[in-house]
Amino acid sequence: MIRTPALSLLFFLSLVMLSGCAGGGKSAAPGPAERAAMEGALGVEAYRRGDLDVALWRFEESLRIHRSTDSRALEVVDLLNIGRTHTARGEFTLAKTRLEEAVRLSRGLTGEGAPQAGGADAEKLLPGALVSLARARYMAGDTQGALDNIKESLTIVSEDDDGGVLGPALNLKALILMDSGRIGEAKEALARAFDINSDAGDAGEFANTLRAASELELSEGDLEKAMALAARAYSLDRTIGDGAKIALDLRTMAGVRKGQGRTREAVFLLERSCLVSVGAGLGSGAVDCLDQLIEELRGLGEAERALYYTGIRERLSGKTSEEPR
Amino acid sequence: MVGLKDTDKRFRHLEAKVGVMVFVALAGIAAVLVMIGMERDLFTKKFAVHFTAESGAGIVEGMPVKLSGFKVGRVTDLELTGDAKVLVTSKINKKYQRYLKAGSKARLVKEGLIGDAFVEITVEGAEGELIGDGGELPFERAAGIEELIDEAKPVLKEIKEVIKFANSSEGDIKTTLKNIKELTGELRATTRTFSTTLTEARGVLRKSGDFMDDVSQKTTPLIEGSAKAIDDFNRLAKRAGPLMDRMDVITLRAEQASVRLPRTVERFERVLGDAAVVSTMFAEEAPRLRELLVDTAYAMKDVRAIARGVRGSWPVRLTMPPVKEPALVPPDGYFYGERAGGGGG
């Protein structure tokens, strides 16, 4: 047999290369689909860490690739991701355009023989697209359009297998109804959202439900209950580590404390909210929070601290890369 | 005459009625007479007292005689004596005789200056025997207005002369009065000026007071602020010490840099010149660079293909994580920022 180590090594490597080439020939051609999937995955990763510019770029690249291969279901996925990223950046008009495109495309995907979205049922993309479109529409000022989209998504999706859409849809519906003064209907939607989100195991969405319920209690004057709900949402968001939501929870709690007349505590919570917003790179959200904090500090006569935060605010205002969620 | 009968009851006891009427009338007359008499002291016992006056002027019969202002008698008679004096006889009520003793005097007085005259008997210093009926009293006439006028005449004359003197424009009094008048006028003007000045001074004082209060109010916080500023300055000065040292070093380095600056500029100009040369060379080499880039792209493509092959081959394929299904950004069920209804964070 082979006596020298060098010859043994050479023999082994040749074997590997031969088997690899053979094996590589039999595998599916990775090509554009793989690249697009990779781009999409990296985009979601960037979105999660708050790097929305990179996320958008990755999703656009994935969309380009999928369009070049007429992968419509995957195109819907990319359009959804792009629309949601634009919404997170506060670009509601752009988000609306992309999400309307996603809805239009996903309507054509329903029915037998519809292409698959990488294994997921393409039919489930339509309710998700409608919910995201409703969100962008409402932030753009189209309340009725938003409610119509949510209503349609609720009629399509089933409670047994909603694809993670029912919970957010009900949360958004409750918030829109609350803002419109339809408190009774908002309470119904929230109650249903409570049941679904607590069972779904989605801590983030459940925290959204708790926060919305806290806002409702605050508007009705039950401050104790509002505080309890907001504190529960806060602890859930802390386990997830979502800075934007943690900042929102702190601000909600600050609002409750102010309503209770505990001004110093309220200012402390607001201060924490602003620091979390700044740390999470929330851009104009952090600036709004700081504006409110500076006003409260001046009201308490704490001019030095107000000046300190004014400096931070001015530095943040100069930045354009950070955008609100 | 036959007509009225004596039997008429109106005529019954006629004489008696007439008699009664006459009696009552006579009684009345008697009463009147008695009252007059009593008034005139006709029924009182009297004794006569005489005195001799130089002149009977002012003395008349019936003139009352008073003692201590109390009427005690009356002058009853006046007659001239042999030496052309007037002997006046007065009748005094007997009951007052005990007051008239030797040394009493009689005098003619008037009630007031122009009132009725009466004879007054003064008993001051009178002691000794009582003056009996027909006794003599010394007489003196009290000074009336006529005497006063007589006495006043020379005084009036003197007054007239004094007035004349006083009224003389060349006289001392007029001149003095004129001077006093001028002085008074000047004094009044001075007083007015003084009052005005005093009022102005009060106003100035008040304004000064207000000003001082205002200054005090404003300066107190300034002083306190200054004290604080001084403390802050001291603290800053302490911190500035090391800063100043650093400033010295920075200044020194800046000076050194400024010395080197011309050389640096020179070098920069040389670099710019070199860059121009490089860009010219680059422009000349551009076609060759393009070819180089294309070759590099092809080479990278081959490298990627090799990498794909390796990735897909066994056992590398088994160790690499599978490519995930297209991931979706989660559909967040909340709004961030200001909502249309005013809610949100």
Side-chain angles (χ1 to χ4, degrees):
Chain A
M1 294 301 287
I2 301 161
R3 291 203 181 133
T4 59
L7 278 172
S8 304
L9 188 62
L10 186 62
F11 175 74
F12 177 73
L13 279 172
S14 303
L15 208 62
V16 166
M17 290 299 285
L18 279 167
S19 65
C21 289
K26 284 183 187 166
S27 69
E34 194 182 76
R35 272 192 292 129
M38 193 73 72
E39 296 289 351
L42 289 170
V44 171
E45 193 58 37
Y47 182 93
R48 284 191 198 283
R49 68 168 184 269
D51 199 344
L52 301 179
D53 288 341
V54 170
L56 203 58
W57 170 59
R58 294 269 185 209
F59 294 143
E60 290 284 359
E61 181 62 18
S62 174
L63 177 67
R64 186 192 64 76
I65 296 168
H66 285 141
R67 273 183 175 166
S68 69
T69 56
D70 196 25
S71 308
R72 290 174 222 167
L74 294 169
E75 205 180 312
V76 171
V77 169
D78 293 324
L79 286 167
L80 273 178
N81 286 339
I82 291 167
R84 287 169 183 171
T85 307
H86 276 306
T87 306
R89 285 161 62 101
E91 296 159 349
F92 304 119
T93 311
L94 281 169
K96 226 173 66 158
T97 309
R98 292 305 193 138
L99 291 165
E100 278 168 355
E101 211 179 325
V103 165
R104 204 166 39 248
L105 202 56
S106 59
R107 285 192 203 282
L109 293 175
T110 57
E112 284 185 16
Q116 301 295 310
D121 196 343
E123 285 183 350
K124 292 211 172 74
L125 293 173
L126 178 56
L130 285 166
V131 168
S132 296
L133 179 57
R135 191 163 173 247
R137 271 195 163 153
Y138 186 68
M139 289 308 286
D142 183 5
T143 306
Q144 193 51 52
L147 279 172
D148 291 339
N149 289 144
I150 289 175
K151 192 177 169 186
E152 191 186 342
S153 75
L154 290 172
T155 54
I156 298 168
V157 81
S158 74
E159 209 158 305
D160 301 325
D161 185 19
D162 68 331
V165 169
L166 197 54
L170 288 167
N171 278 342
L172 292 172
K173 185 182 176 185
L175 286 166
I176 294 170
L177 289 169
M178 202 158 61
D179 290 345
S180 306
R182 292 153 70 173
I183 304 297
E185 292 174 66
K187 279 184 180 173
E188 272 180 38
L190 260 183
R192 209 173 148 212
F194 203 93
D195 293 334
I196 286 166
N197 286 323
S198 58
D199 292 339
D202 185 347
E205 216 46 58
F206 188 45
N208 285 342
T209 309
L210 291 167
R211 200 178 314 108
S214 172
E215 270 192 46
L216 187 67
E217 295 297 342
L218 184 63
S219 70
E220 295 211 307
D222 193 339
L223 299 177
E224 292 292 329
K225 220 170 173 181
M227 191 65 197
L229 288 162
R232 212 169 145 196
Y234 167 72
S235 65
L236 275 174
D237 286 325
R238 281 199 67 211
T239 58
I240 299 165
D242 188 332
K245 292 191 177 184
I246 292 168
L248 205 51
D249 294 325
L250 286 164
R251 217 158 158 182
T252 307
M253 288 194 284
V256 173
R257 283 293 184 234
K258 193 165 181 186
Q260 289 174 325
R262 292 155 74 167
T263 313
R264 292 229 169 246
E265 280 184 56
V267 170
F268 171 72
L269 289 166
L270 186 62
E271 195 180 357
R272 294 305 309 168
S273 172
C274 293
L275 289 172
V276 168
S277 299
V278 171
L282 296 180
S284 64
V287 168
D288 290 341
C289 183
L290 285 166
D291 282 338
Q292 193 182 344
L293 177 64
I294 289 161
E295 201 184 311
E296 293 289 343
L297 287 170
R298 281 183 187 149
L300 286 175
E302 300 208 31
E304 273 189 43
R305 283 173 70 198
L307 196 63
Y308 168 69
Y309 285 112
T310 306
I312 296 175
R313 187 217 179 273
E314 279 166 11
R315 279 197 296 279
L316 272 178
S317 302
K319 290 186 184 177
T320 55
S321 60
E322 303 300 342
E323 294 294 340
R325 283 185 61 189
Chain B
M1 226 165 114
V2 179
L4 291 171
K5 290 186 180 176
D6 288 338
T7 54
D8 193 333
K9 63 176 177 183
R10 287 182 291 172
F11 293 116
R12 223 177 274 163
H13 309 297
L14 185 61
E15 288 99 2
K17 288 178 186 172
V18 170
V20 166
M21 192 193 76
V22 169
F23 176 75
V24 166
L26 285 172
I29 291 165
V32 166
L33 286 170
V34 165
M35 280 170 68
I36 290 169
M38 283 174 75
E39 176 71 23
R40 288 178 178 262
D41 299 325
L42 288 174
F43 306 110
T44 54
K45 285 184 181 170
K46 297 184 184 63
F47 67 99
V49 169
H50 306 282
F51 59 87
T52 307
E54 290 294 323
S55 163
I59 304 171
V60 295
E61 281 183 25
M63 180 182 278
V65 175
K66 293 183 180 178
L67 172 68
S68 300
F70 190 79
K71 186 180 168 194
V72 297
R74 196 177 286 282
V75 171
T76 55
D77 189 47
L78 287 94
E79 60 182 85
L80 273 172
T81 61
D83 50 359
K85 290 187 183 173
V86 179
L87 178 69
V88 180
T89 305
S90 302
K91 289 282 175 78
I92 308 296
N93 198 334
K94 197 80 172 168
K95 66 180 177 183
Y96 301 117
Q97 191 177 13
R98 64 176 191 272
Y99 298 108
L100 269 67
K101 294 178 181 170
S104 299
K105 293 176 190 168
R107 60 180 188 162
L108 182 70
V109 296
K110 278 194 176 167
E111 289 190 39
L113 273 177
I114 54 171
D116 292 337
F118 63 91
V119 174
E120 187 183 39
I121 296 175
T122 57
V123 295
E124 279 178 31
E127 54 188 24
E129 290 182 6
L130 292 174
I131 294 174
D133 187 23
E136 183 93 13
L137 290 175
F139 176 77
E140 64 184 18
R141 193 179 282 269
I145 193 164
E146 294 83 8
E147 286 79 16
L148 280 170
I149 288 168
D150 288 337
E151 281 177 23
K153 274 181 185 167
V155 171
L156 284 169
K157 193 177 171 189
E158 282 180 29
I159 288 171
K160 271 185 198 166
E161 283 169 12
V162 166
I163 287 169
K164 189 177 168 187
F165 172 74
N167 278 339
S168 166
S169 59
E170 303 302 320
D172 293 337
I173 292 174
K174 277 270 184 181
T175 311
T176 307
L177 281 172
K178 190 176 163 190
N179 291 340
I180 288 172
K181 196 174 175 182
E182 282 173 8
L183 184 67
T184 311
E186 284 168 15
L187 202 62
R188 268 199 215 108
T190 308
T191 308
R192 270 201 296 276
T193 310
F194 185 71
S195 297
T196 310
T197 309
L198 199 64
T199 309
E200 283 172 10
R202 273 198 211 108
V204 167
L205 277 170
R206 198 170 38 247
K207 281 183 192 165
S208 304
D210 292 343
F211 176 71
M212 288 309 293
D213 288 340
D214 192 35
V215 165
S216 165
Q217 271 175 12
K218 284 181 183 158
T219 52
T220 307
L222 272 172
I223 289 164
E224 286 167 7
S226 303
K228 190 172 179 299
I230 288 166
D231 289 338
D232 292 341
F233 183 75
N234 285 336
R235 265 185 267 126
L236 276 168
K238 278 184 196 158
R239 276 191 240 161
L243 275 172
M244 292 308 295
D245 294 337
R246 265 187 259 163
M247 280 301 297
D248 290 337
V249 170
I250 291 166
T251 314
L252 180 65
R253 285 191 197 156
E255 280 172 5
Q256 289 167 350
S258 69
V259 164
R260 290 198 293 265
L261 191 61
R263 268 183 280 155
T264 310
V265 167
E266 206 184 291
R267 267 188 236 159
F268 187 67
E269 281 169 354
R270 257 187 273 138
V271 163
L272 280 174
D274 293 341
V277 167
V278 164
S279 67
T280 311
M281 282 170 56
F282 188 77
E284 286 166 5
E285 296 300 315
R288 261 183 270 167
L289 278 168
R290 189 176 159 279
E291 284 170 23
L292 196 62
L293 282 167
V294 168
D295 290 341
T296 309
Y298 280 126
M300 284 304 297
K301 204 172 166 183
D302 294 338
V303 165
R304 277 199 209 110
I306 292 165
R308 270 200 299 277
V310 168
R311 204 167 49 230
S313 69
W314 179 92
V316 176
R317 192 172 60 235
L318 295 174
T319 59
M320 281 194 65
V323 174
K324 289 180 186 170
E325 297 294 342
L328 267 172
V329 168
D332 201 347
Y334 208 82
F335 298 110
Y336 301 93
E338 199 65 33
R339 302 203 295 265

